[in-house]
Amino acid sequence: MNISRLARLTFWLPIALSVHSAWAADPAEVDPPVPEVPSLQSLRGMVPPDPSGTEGGRKVDLMTDYVLNRSAAILLGKALFWDMEIGSDGATACASCHYHAGVDHRITNQLNPGQANTNTNANVASIFNKPFVASDIPGDVATYATLSGGKGGPNYTLKKNDFPTHVLSNPLERNSPIVYSTDDVVGSQGVFDANFVKPNQPRFDKCTQQPDGLFQVGGINVRRSTGRNAPSVINAAFNVRNFWDGRANNVFNGFSPFGNRDPDAGIYVTSERSTVATKVRLALNDASAASQAVGPPGSPVEMSCGGRTFADIGRRMLDTLMLKQQRISSSDSVLGPVSGARRPTYRELIKNAFQPRLWNATQNVSVGGAPYTQMEANFPLFFGLAIQMYEATLVSDQAPIDAYLQGDHTAMNAQQVEGMNLFLGKGKCVNCHGGAELTNAASRLLMHPRERIERMVMADNLTTLYDNGFYNTGVRPTSEDLALGGADAWGNPWSFTRQYNTVLQGGRSVDPLDVDVCTFEAPLSAAIPCDATLKPNVGFRDSVDGAFKTPTLRNIALTGPYFHNGSRATLKQVMEFYNRGGDRRGEDANNTSGFEHPAVNQHNTSNLDPDMTALNLTPDEIDALVKFMEVGLTDPRVAWERAPFDHPSLVIPQGHIGDENAVTQRPASPKVTTRQATDASLNLKPYGAEGRPAAEGPLQPFYNDL
């Protein structure tokens, strides 16, 4: 068990937890020294920090310099998150991909054909479900069918036997023959392919539809789907970075997801001396949820016509009535007071929530060379901060594990306690899913920059640097999605580790880093002593290609499908993957899931996480682990959609009328100039603070929807 990555960073319980499955000793022997075992902590009482930082070089914080009224800002954030009008089509909200315990449970038209694949020869863009050529993996020579041999592709409805998407003849043996495999991803459908045109009427988006060569059935466009599965927004405000590749920066610039990286970012402010707004740089720390929030509304796949700016979204939304298409329960824990006949506009909500200096300018400002009001130009600032404040209320801290860790040992039964002990020991789950948030990517890293990079010993016994909370577990070959190993539009690596290496070689880092080599758990080598003043031109090996952010395991029973590619439908399938040591082929030292790094002491080195070895869990132990995760980690308020997890009504596009072979075309209209498929819809009822009625039952796992 590799405990080094958590030994310094994990919270430690003041009470002893049994971990007999990993640390049992013969009572006749003298007890050896017991290492510190990374453990778990109740989430109760923990709250995400309020952002603070600098604006134009001066120190600022959220409540003093931006927010006028916290309750009003949370109300605004909840309304914006659930409002279907935010999408260019008037039918797509942020919540459309995060409506079920914070994730997406739709099953039709959810596939993406592995568009992140860096192997252009393998990525045939004209079809889905291209055959997976096993000869791409050393030692395998055959070609296998995909998605149970079905056609798959646009508007396909997922079935139980489509999971897992990598099937072995013996699920306990990773080197057994491959039955089928695919690089298709279970993502989230968004919008039709279209380009934004400046409208004559600002309250309506004008978009030019165009034929989509990929997301279409019989020449009729269907909604596009994302290249990764949607993570949960519940507890996401604790994450140091968001999105699977960490591109939603810890620093919010008020404009885009990219923090200090974006040279065009800025907000517009007035002063006591002048009501003419000027543009200033903003850098608010501990605000990755705000950075994440401003990404999807402008995405031409997720929510927007291509080329629509956030100022354009503001122009459309400011005089729109809040949630005008949707119903709100009178007992909604946040929106109840404005659920009556006359709902406020977003302009009114912003004025109630934010300081006047952010919206009271008397003249227009220039954004991208075009004139906008200050309130329109600052709409991404309002949007990001308000949604972060709303998401900061979505803390699921009332699961049985929270009660158990606070001393109520009746909160979990014997099987679930056994599962918890396996989680801490033999199962090695806590190595990546530690602390109260059950993810190493969360704020228990205390936001210290030097703790964002760590060093570990790999399976080849060589050391490497990596970004805390981001690991390559070999779910798919690394070439299919570089994730953290990728770079932004300005050529900067997403990875803190690679930025650190750049600094060591005389370059600069766009993210704040203060690395002390003396704090690393694994020594590099005897030749490099503990010395924080390493000279330039020293580079360290890294393990960031194909590394993904560790998701929280809270409410995991309800948040399938699992992994970044949505490749597993049940927790048992997840545990089968880990129990066999992943899906790489060959001996333990091999890494056919990742890139080989040649010429380090003549070894072929690997970026695969060293914990990816066979666990040798018995069927009963797997059942105990699964029951612990299913029951012990589920907050009943999430399952029953009780406050703060209640919500307004929502109409969600779920594929199109028809199937993967033929779809019904949408009737022609002035707004639709190309052939588009008619949406099929999923209708969510509004629930107030009391949540779902008993007759309807709680939310169900993803597998139950198939």
Side-chain angles (χ1 to χ4, degrees), residues 664-694:
T664 299
Q665 185 173 334
R666 179 183 293 185
S669 72
K671 289 186 177 182
V672 179
T673 57
T674 59
R675 301 173 70 193
Q676 289 186 355
T678 301
D679 286 333
S681 296
L682 175 67
N683 295 290
L684 261 64
K685 299 178 181 178
Y687 292 116
E690 68 282 359
R692 302 166 67 89

Side-chain angles (χ1 to χ4, degrees), residues 424-474:
L424 291 164
K426 184 178 179 181
K428 299 193 290 189
C429 312
V430 75
N431 288 13
C432 299
H433 297 280
E437 301 97 327
L438 295 178
T439 167
N440 292 4
S443 60
R444 58 187 198 77
L445 297 177
L446 306 179
M447 308 296 178
H448 293 168
R450 69 177 49 167
E451 293 182 337
R452 297 177 183 179
I453 297 174
E454 187 53 272
R455 184 186 291 142
M456 65 180 162
V457 178
M458 302 298 286
D460 53 20
N461 292 318
L462 299 177
T463 56
T464 186
L465 292 178
Y466 68 98
D467 288 35
N468 260 317
F470 290 76
Y471 309 112
N472 183 335
T473 58

Side-chain angles (χ1 to χ4, degrees), residues 334-410:
V334 172
L335 303 173
V338 291
S339 63
R342 200 286 180 188
R343 296 183 186 174
T345 65
Y346 282 105
R347 185 183 302 276
E348 293 171 306
L349 292 177
I350 288 170
K351 287 184 175 182
N352 290 339
F354 286 97
Q355 296 281 0
R357 73 186 188 95
L358 303 172
W359 48 260
N360 68 358
T362 54
Q363 298 180 22
N364 283 346
V365 299
S366 177
V367 180
Y372 292 90
T373 68
Q374 182 195 20
M375 189 179 280
E376 291 168 348
N378 279 341
F379 198 70
L381 172 72
F382 305 135
F383 193 93
L385 290 181
I387 285 184
Q388 164 139 342
M389 295 182 73
Y390 164 57
E391 289 184 356
T393 70
L394 303 181
V395 177
S396 61
D397 59 359
Q398 294 186 24
I401 184 67
D402 297 298
Y404 186 92
L405 294 178
Q406 291 193 324
D408 180 5
H409 288 181
T410 66

Side-chain angles (χ1 to χ4, degrees), residues 597-642:
H597 296 273
V600 179
N601 296 328
Q602 305 302 312
H603 289 274
N604 283 329
T605 61
S606 169
N607 61 332
L608 190 71
D609 191 290
D611 280 331
M612 292 304 299
T613 59
L615 300 176
N616 299 313
L617 295 167
T618 67
D620 286 346
E621 288 174 331
I622 289 177
D623 288 345
L625 255 172
V626 168
K627 285 300 181 185
F628 166 64
M629 291 188 285
E630 285 180 342
V631 179
L633 303 183
T634 300
D635 187 326
R637 298 173 305 158
V638 173
W640 286 93
E641 297 188 286
R642 297 176 187 139

Side-chain angles (χ1 to χ4, degrees), residues 251-412:
V251 175
F252 182 47
N253 60 31
F255 179 75
S256 71
F258 309 120
N260 297 329
R261 300 159 178 263
D262 190 337
D264 298 321
I267 64 171
Y268 298 85
V269 299
T270 62
S271 67
E272 294 179 354
R273 298 184 300 276
S274 174
T275 56
V276 176
T278 58
K279 186 177 181 179
V280 295
R281 293 282 291 184
L282 177 66
L284 288 178
N285 300 310
D286 306 338
S288 69
S291 295
Q292 186 279 327
V294 298
S299 165
V301 174
E302 297 179 67
M303 296 180 69
S304 181
C305 298
R308 183 178 70 153
T309 70
F310 234 110
D312 294 322
I313 300 174
R315 178 165 292 177
R316 172 182 171 178
M317 295 301 299
L318 286 176
D319 292 312
T320 297
L321 297 178
M322 178 199 79
L323 295 161
K324 71 176 186 179
Q325 297 188 62
Q326 296 158 258
R327 292 171 291 138
I328 305 171
S329 169
S330 60
S331 64
D332 187 290
S333 59
V334 172
L335 303 173
V338 291
S339 63
R342 200 286 180 188
R343 296 183 186 174
T345 65
Y346 282 105
R347 185 183 302 276
E348 293 171 306
L349 292 177
I350 288 170
K351 287 184 175 182
N352 290 339
F354 286 97
Q355 296 281 0
R357 73 186 188 95
L358 303 172
W359 48 260
N360 68 358
T362 54
Q363 298 180 22
N364 283 346
V365 299
S366 177
V367 180
Y372 292 90
T373 68
Q374 182 195 20
M375 189 179 280
E376 291 168 348
N378 279 341
F379 198 70
L381 172 72
F382 305 135
F383 193 93
L385 290 181
I387 285 184
Q388 164 139 342
M389 295 182 73
Y390 164 57
E391 289 184 356
T393 70
L394 303 181
V395 177
S396 61
D397 59 359
Q398 294 186 24
I401 184 67
D402 297 298
Y404 186 92
L405 294 178
Q406 291 193 324
D408 180 5
H409 288 181
T410 66
M412 297 195 301

Side-chain angles (χ1 to χ4, degrees), residues 578-599:
Y578 282 116
N579 199 36
R580 64 178 176 254
D583 287 341
R584 69 194 185 284
R585 311 293 281 177
E587 301 300 320
D588 280 348
N590 289 3
N591 177 19
T592 57
S593 294
F595 293 146
E596 298 295 337
H597 296 273

Side-chain angles (χ1 to χ4, degrees), residues 163-280:
F163 295 92
T165 61
H166 178 84
V167 176
L168 300 172
S169 59
N170 179 0
L172 302 179
E173 173 50 59
R174 57 182 169 80
N175 287 314
S176 63
I178 299 173
V179 177
Y180 69 85
S181 189
T182 179
D183 68 349
D184 283 3
V185 171
V186 180
S188 292
Q189 67 202 276
V191 293
F192 294 97
D193 190 7
N195 290 320
F196 183 73
V197 179
K198 295 287 184 184
N200 295 323
Q201 300 181 51
R203 291 176 62 185
F204 299 94
D205 278 0
K206 183 178 180 181
C207 299
T208 301
Q209 311 292 325
Q210 53 196 22
D212 193 322
L214 184 58
F215 293 95
Q216 52 84 20
V217 177
I220 300 175
N221 284 6
V222 299
R223 291 179 178 272
R224 306 166 105 182
S225 185
T226 61
R228 293 180 185 141
N229 189 251
S232 178
V233 297
I234 296 173
N235 304 314
F238 286 111
N239 290 334
V240 175
R241 289 177 281 176
N242 273 291
F243 291 127
W244 284 105
D245 56 13
R247 70 186 186 277
N249 206 279
N250 184 262
V251 175
F252 182 47
N253 60 31
F255 179 75
S256 71
F258 309 120
N260 297 329
R261 300 159 178 263
D262 190 337
D264 298 321
I267 64 171
Y268 298 85
V269 299
T270 62
S271 67
E272 294 179 354
R273 298 184 300 276
S274 174
T275 56
V276 176
T278 58
K279 186 177 181 179
V280 295

